[in-house]
Amino acid sequence: MSVFESKVRSTLLFSAATVGAVLVAPNLAEASFGEKNLRFGMEDSDVKVLQERLKEKGFFNFHTATGYFGELTREAVIKFQKEHGLSQDGIVGPQTFSVLNGNSSSSGQSKTRNSNSGNNSSQSSASSTYSSESSSSLSSINNTSQVMRNGTRNQDVSSLQAYLKKAGFYEHSQITGIYGNMTQKAVRNFQQARGLTADGLAGPQTLSKVNKEIGGTAPSKSSSSRSGSSADTVSNSSGSASLSGVVLRQGARGAAVEELQKRLKDLGYYTSSIDGAYGPLTVAAVRELQRQSNISVDGIFGPQTYRQLDNGNSSNSDSSSRSSGNSSQTSSGNSSSSTDLSGVVLRQGASGSQVRELQQRLKDLGYYTSSVDGSFGSGTAEAVRKLQRQTNISVDGVFGPQTLRQLEKNIKYSSSSSSSGSSSSSAPVLKEGSRGSNVSELQNMLKATGHYNSQITGVFGQLTKEAVRKFQNQWGLIADGIATKSTLEKLEEVAAVHMSESRSNSGSSQSFNTMNLIADASNYIGVPYVWGGTTASGFDCSGFIQHVFRNNGVNLPRTVAQQWDATRPVSKPQVGDIVYFTTYRAGPSHNGIYIGNNQFIHSGSSTGVTITSMDNSYWSPRYLGARRAR
């Protein structure tokens, strides 16, 4: 066990829940116990003291205090907070420290559970981990409809930094009011800890969550700076306070949008009702302002557009165009279907008229086959991915400006690899001009078969096309230089024969131990990806699986497809199971080892051996299932 523990301390945390495991990257912190908040991902002596205290009280059940704040520690903290009527956020802050230090009884769970019924009043008083802190030290975010990103400067950034610092996410010594790299990192860590989309952008969802934890309430619409003033241009001073540094786009709502609509109306660009909803008419008004000001026309209100608005540039277009725009809310599809989607970012979970417009246009081109319901679900995400694959852009299922440009080219969907079930969409056709990891994989296979002798570039150029054509000629396929489903399947079959076969027997007769398997796998983190690689100098995905399992007494065949056939299916992955994905062709073509906490360790073509979330935008839609090798 000492070997295992040393691996854990040097590379990642392994914690067993059921036989579960959690691996996270360490982040060192320094403080004496109780002086600094403790949270998920930290590693120092304070965490060890915390674990020992929780172990005394019956909440932390791991066999030893590791000093690493992982999933088991977070669960123990949440249980402790729940039993004592505290806010259950898994962060050890002032309130949790206070109760933890003042309750030294070690009788554990029976005592704390019996006291639970008396905690209702204290629980209601603990609506936020930090609500008992003096309210003057933390201010709520005034404008939760904005999107903060690198370069944003305003008082709300200061409020955000102050809270994140109090919560232990922001590590800079000063509150600057400038949204820089350290703020972005703090926001991303906060989002991960709260189960939000971890993009490092502080948008409405993140800011509302921060306000909720601060214990403040969102500012009311009437509290914006236009208290009854009929807002001639003098209201710029108050408008500047609410719109400076703000980025607003279609779909945004709130006081900032109201302020924008009001100012646009004062200048003659906006003629509809001020409702705080950034819809097509607001987009059209912003676009008109941008056109009149000779700046980039995208319908998104940002710093450049704000400067023009602040200059008071009034509309000089005739009223007929404005009034026609006013009545075009329902018929905007005629001339502004691209306007409806310009500057919009849509992803799974979104809903509304923009999604309906997107679905209709995808359906017209053959990418989307379900009903047009205005709800961005898995079917819409897959349709977007089909468009992205076919147009050779980044495939993430998120609709944004780059995907819009491809959509406006009106390229019809072409299913050249025929409809072989739901997985056919995961088998892209690779041809001259294609780029990415799928092309790198293709080039590696062609190199293994002796048809490609150049560098692995990930770019499908003339050399790759010629190599594909040679391979097709040799095996009686249509020699057009395009890697279709049939070509890729045959290529993988032939390439597998040319792989360097690793030693079939290692002489290992040890019994299988899941903990040892994960610890051994983690020892190879950072080893580069080498196609056909089966040793610690470089692995491909199946070579890594074969090597790690063989070292733990389980012999598996060489390729992903063969490993799939040699393992038995399970309904839900457990630690040590193999998870399979479809990538450059239909069927299993990539795999990794499930390590718990919805993560897997694998050898990726662009990362080498690494740990990745099953929720990753690339891997999640390509997941085929889990299988067991023992």
Side-chain angles (χ1 to χ4, degrees), residues 190-206:
F190 173 82
Q191 290 167 329
Q192 287 174 339
R194 299 298 186 268
L196 305 174
T197 301
D199 55 9
L201 300 177
Q205 188 180 28
T206 301

Side-chain angles (χ1 to χ4, degrees), residues 552-575:
N552 284 271
V554 177
N555 288 315
L556 290 173
R558 178 62 185 85
T559 68
V560 175
Q562 292 166 344
Q563 289 172 0
W564 170 277
D565 291 336
T567 49
R568 60 185 176 87
V570 293
S571 58
K572 185 177 180 181
Q574 293 183 6
V575 175

Side-chain angles (χ1 to χ4, degrees), residues 86-304:
L86 303 174
S87 179
Q88 300 160 42
D89 58 4
I91 297 174
V92 185
Q95 286 189 341
T96 306
F97 272 125
S98 176
V99 178
L100 192 63
N101 289 332
N103 185 9
S104 59
S105 165
S106 62
S107 60
Q109 297 181 2
S110 62
K111 178 178 177 180
T112 54
R113 296 206 197 300
N114 291 337
S115 66
N116 191 43
S117 61
N119 280 332
N120 290 337
S121 60
S122 63
Q123 186 152 7
S124 63
S125 68
S127 60
S128 169
T129 307
Y130 305 101
S131 60
S132 65
E133 300 276 322
S134 73
S135 59
S136 62
S137 64
L138 292 174
S139 300
S140 297
I141 310 295
N142 289 319
N143 179 14
T144 57
S145 63
Q146 64 183 301
V147 177
M148 297 181 190
R149 64 187 75 216
N150 268 351
T152 302
R153 299 169 178 241
N154 57 37
Q155 183 56 44
D156 281 345
V157 175
S158 297
S159 299
L160 174 66
Q161 290 171 333
Y163 175 71
L164 292 175
K165 189 174 183 69
K166 186 77 73 174
F169 295 98
Y170 183 66
E171 298 172 353
H172 198 275
S173 58
Q174 294 181 330
I175 304 301
T176 64
I178 302 171
Y179 200 111
N181 290 334
M182 294 196 74
T183 308
Q184 184 182 50
K185 177 185 175 184
V187 168
R188 185 177 288 113
N189 289 338
F190 173 82
Q191 290 167 329
Q192 287 174 339
R194 299 298 186 268
L196 305 174
T197 301
D199 55 9
L201 300 177
Q205 188 180 28
T206 301
L207 296 178
S208 296
K209 181 68 174 173
V210 168
N211 267 359
K212 184 176 180 182
E213 295 191 11
I214 289 174
T217 56
S220 64
K221 293 179 180 179
S222 61
S223 68
S224 93
S225 50
R226 17 181 190 87
S227 58
S229 133
S230 63
D232 46 13
T233 354
V234 183
S235 70
N236 282 353
S237 59
S238 63
S240 299
S242 59
L243 294 178
S244 177
V246 171
V247 176
L248 300 171
R249 65 185 74 214
Q250 193 160 351
R253 292 176 176 272
V257 178
E258 282 191 40
E259 179 67 25
L260 172 61
Q261 290 172 331
K262 184 178 182 305
R263 308 251 328 251
L264 288 168
K265 195 164 192 172
D266 292 339
L267 296 172
Y269 294 99
Y270 183 72
T271 59
S272 190
S273 60
I274 296 173
D275 56 7
Y278 202 119
L281 292 181
T282 308
V283 171
V286 170
R287 289 170 69 89
E288 187 61 30
L289 168 63
Q290 292 167 331
R291 269 192 289 268
Q292 296 277 348
S293 305
N294 292 316
I295 60 175
S296 177
V297 179
D298 58 9
I300 300 173
F301 180 82
Q304 188 181 30

